[in-house]
Amino acid sequence: MPSISIDLTVLLKEKLSVQHALVLDLLDKQDLESYEKYIFEIDYIPPTVFQTLHRKGFIEHLGKDFQYEFESSRLTPKGVHLLREIRGLAAVEEMLLSKHKRSTDTVEWAEEWRELWPKGVKSGGYLVRSHIKDISTKLSRFQKKYKYPKETIFKATEQYLQEKQLQGYGFIKTAAYFIEKSGISTLAELCEALESGDSHDLSSDYRSV
């Protein structure tokens, strides 16, 4: 018989048994062979199991009479959702969706943040407005490591660019290297200075690109 992973907390919440979960799983797979093998070799599944699932709206009865049988039953959308919870897939999908949303937010962040950097300005032969892919990757790592809020990151960046503009953009870093280069993050230093109320002297920051 095929294996099934069961989250017992879901069954307890819905006041269902392991047999209810088994029926849902086998109905989803349309596995009549395993169902019959179970009831003949392991344990009898009474009609009340199907009746309970039907009453709770997890399966629907396709037969013409009221004989609840495997062949005349199928999952409802509500039953499909419950089965995903029982298998633990709902929690996994929610985690992946949340992760994807954070990733999407970071990309949107990166595009907005990249717009702060001046167009056409070069440092060491490279445009200071780095490629969006490099910025997205580095900002994502930066957020995971330092966890500074967006407002602090933008304010620190704006201050850096304003001071560099006054200096004619001399020794300005590229956006990607500003986030991090060789384990050193100018952005992190400026964010820390902002949050602690200290000033950061950029005139001594001669390292470009």
Side-chain angles (χ1 to χ4, degrees):
M1 285 188 62
S3 61
I4 173 176
S5 176
I6 296 176
D7 186 338
L8 291 176
T9 58
V10 177
L11 294 183
L12 290 172
K13 182 181 70 174
E14 296 293 341
K15 297 181 179 179
L16 298 174
S17 69
V18 173
Q19 279 197 339
H20 291 113
L22 177 63
V23 168
L24 290 173
D25 182 73
L26 295 178
L27 281 174
D28 180 57
K29 297 171 182 174
Q30 289 295 295
D31 192 350
L32 177 61
E33 181 181 353
S34 294
Y35 173 78
E36 291 180 339
K37 185 174 182 180
Y38 179 87
I39 61 176
F40 289 127
E41 298 181 12
I42 301 175
D43 193 15
Y44 171 67
I45 297 180
T48 52
V49 169
F50 288 88
Q51 291 168 5
T52 299
L53 291 174
H54 182 263
R55 177 170 48 81
K56 288 178 174 284
F58 298 128
I59 65 173
E60 57 183 339
H61 179 59
L62 304 178
K64 296 181 180 179
D65 51 34
F66 292 99
Q67 294 296 317
Y68 289 89
E69 297 178 348
F70 187 90
E71 300 95 314
S72 61
S73 301
R74 72 177 180 187
L75 296 182
T76 62
K78 183 179 178 181
V80 172
H81 178 73
L82 175 67
L83 183 58
R84 300 191 77 76
E85 288 190 328
I86 290 173
R87 290 171 174 167
L89 294 177
V92 172
E93 288 174 347
E94 184 177 350
M95 178 189 69
L96 291 175
L97 182 62
S98 177
K99 184 177 180 180
H100 174 71
K101 184 178 184 301
R102 288 197 303 271
S103 176
T104 303
D105 289 346
T106 300
V107 172
E108 291 174 354
W109 243 60
E111 291 174 347
E112 184 182 354
W113 184 82
R114 182 173 180 264
E115 290 297 315
L116 298 176
W117 292 78
K119 292 181 179 180
V121 175
K122 291 187 177 182
S123 181
Y126 297 93
L127 289 170
V128 298
R129 184 180 279 201
S130 305
H131 193 279
I132 185 61
K133 184 177 179 180
D134 296 331
I135 290 175
S136 297
T137 300
K138 288 202 170 187
L139 269 182
S140 181
R141 291 178 189 160
F142 181 89
Q143 285 181 289
K144 290 178 182 177
K145 183 176 181 180
Y146 296 102
K147 305 187 187 308
Y148 287 114
K150 175 184 175 182
E151 294 74 15
T152 300
I153 292 173
F154 272 66
K155 188 174 181 180
T157 305
E158 288 167 348
Q159 288 186 359
Y160 174 81
L161 293 174
Q162 287 169 5
E163 292 193 39
K164 285 301 180 181
Q165 183 180 25
L166 293 175
Q167 298 168 12
Y169 294 119
F171 299 109
I172 186 174
K173 294 179 181 294
T174 63
Y177 283 167
F178 174 72
I179 301 170
E180 186 274 329
K181 181 184 179 183
S182 302
I184 298 173
S185 174
T186 302
L187 177 57
E189 293 174 2
L190 294 176
C191 286
E192 183 180 0
L194 268 177
E195 293 204 337
S196 63
D198 296 332
S199 60
H200 187 86
D201 184 11
L202 294 176
S203 62
S204 61
D205 189 3
Y206 57 85
R207 297 161 296 181
S208 63
V209 297

